[in-house]
Amino acid sequence: MKSAVGTLNTYSWTLIFSDFKEITKARLALSVVFSSIAGYFLGAYQIEWTSVLMLAIGGYCMVGASNAYNQVIEKDLDALMSRTANRPVPSGRMSSATALTIAVIMTLLGIGILYLLNPKTAMFGAIAIFLYTSVYTPLKTVTPLSVFVGAIPGAIPFMLGWVAATNDFGIEPGTLFMIQFFWQFPHFWALAWMLDEDYKKAGFKMLPTGKKDKGTVVQIIMYTVWMIIISVIPVLGITGRLQLSLAGGIIIFLMGMAMLVFAMLLFEKRNNATARKLMLASVIYISLMQVVYVADKYISQIWI
């Protein structure tokens, strides 16, 4: 009997932990934390590991809160889509009140921790939550322009790390913001292309033209080009302390061109398989780009 109870308790805690990861979208939240830490390493004169830990915890809380609010607001729409029907709230495993409580606690905890780093970091974190839940989320069923609004909070994490390290907002974090801002359009529209049929069940208007057509892919290509341009601008030495060596710039340019090739293939084939390849290429690009920026900074310091 004790063994059976112990097994049941273990199963319960496993399910609770699994639902917590789902309600906060743990994989997405961790990728955001990665971006924030990369921004911190770029901005910091000296690494303070306590600050890095606070940024990681605070950043996870902010993203987790945003996702929890989103799933409470969209619970009825999530139930209509195959991709989201089994989420904790629409499936009935977690009540809306519980999810909302998690969101509020994580909001307060996240803002509090980021405020201890500096007020500007907390302010940008709070702005990200507000825009994601109060503007982007309700606009998704109204207009494809919701993607542009959603790209703002989505672009904050990379620059947030710099602000956390410096307590300053200038051209450097502004450039980091623009890189991730432009990156989101090819990334998200590739994802929206794959999920278009599912999104339409809930009435979400996510593709720029409303259709999986050449017009949508032309915009994907356009934003990919802008992403590449912004990503290599620091090579010119016009972005303050945010510097990029010629070698680093060439590496990032080639990575961006590889992503552009997948965008061009989508223009040619216009199918879900190619959209998936572009989406995966975009994930690889943003992660490696941040690694190259950080590695380039510290390798350049060694050689100076």
Side-chain angles (χ1 to χ4, degrees), residues 34-211:
F34 181 86
S35 293
S36 297
I37 292 175
Y40 179 92
F41 273 67
L42 289 173
Y45 292 99
Q46 182 177 350
I47 304 299
E48 296 179 4
W49 293 104
T50 301
S51 296
V52 173
L53 181 61
M54 292 170 64
L55 177 62
I57 296 172
Y60 188 99
C61 286
M62 302 301 277
V63 180
S66 297
N67 290 323
Y69 285 127
N70 173 266
Q71 291 179 52
V72 170
I73 295 168
E74 293 183 346
K75 66 180 188 304
D76 294 332
L77 298 179
D78 280 348
L80 301 175
M81 296 185 290
S82 303
R83 184 178 65 94
T84 57
N86 196 44
R87 283 177 173 173
V89 178
S91 69
R93 295 194 309 274
M94 181 183 294
S95 68
S96 295
T98 299
L100 187 60
T101 300
I102 291 172
V104 171
I105 290 173
M106 294 189 78
T107 299
L108 297 175
L109 186 61
I111 290 177
I113 291 173
L114 294 181
Y115 186 85
L116 292 176
L117 286 171
N118 59 66
K120 287 188 179 72
T121 304
M123 178 190 71
F124 283 120
I127 289 172
I129 289 181
F130 173 78
L131 288 176
Y132 189 85
T133 59
S134 301
V135 186
Y136 165 68
T137 295
L139 280 179
K140 287 163 66 177
T141 57
V142 178
T143 172
L145 291 175
S146 63
V147 176
F148 291 83
V149 177
I152 297 173
I156 285 178
F158 199 17
M159 74 159 214
L160 191 73
W162 185 290
V163 176
T166 64
N167 194 25
D168 181 58
F169 182 83
I171 190 169
E172 300 93 344
T175 303
L176 298 180
F177 174 89
M178 293 304 293
I179 292 171
Q180 199 148 350
F181 178 80
F182 282 107
W183 167 81
Q184 285 182 90
F185 295 98
H187 169 75
F188 184 78
W189 282 334
L191 181 64
W193 185 291
M194 295 162 49
L195 301 173
D196 184 55
E197 289 76 15
D198 217 21
Y199 278 142
K200 284 180 178 176
K201 295 176 184 176
F204 289 153
K205 306 176 188 297
M206 309 310 289
L207 292 175
T209 67
K211 296 180 288 186

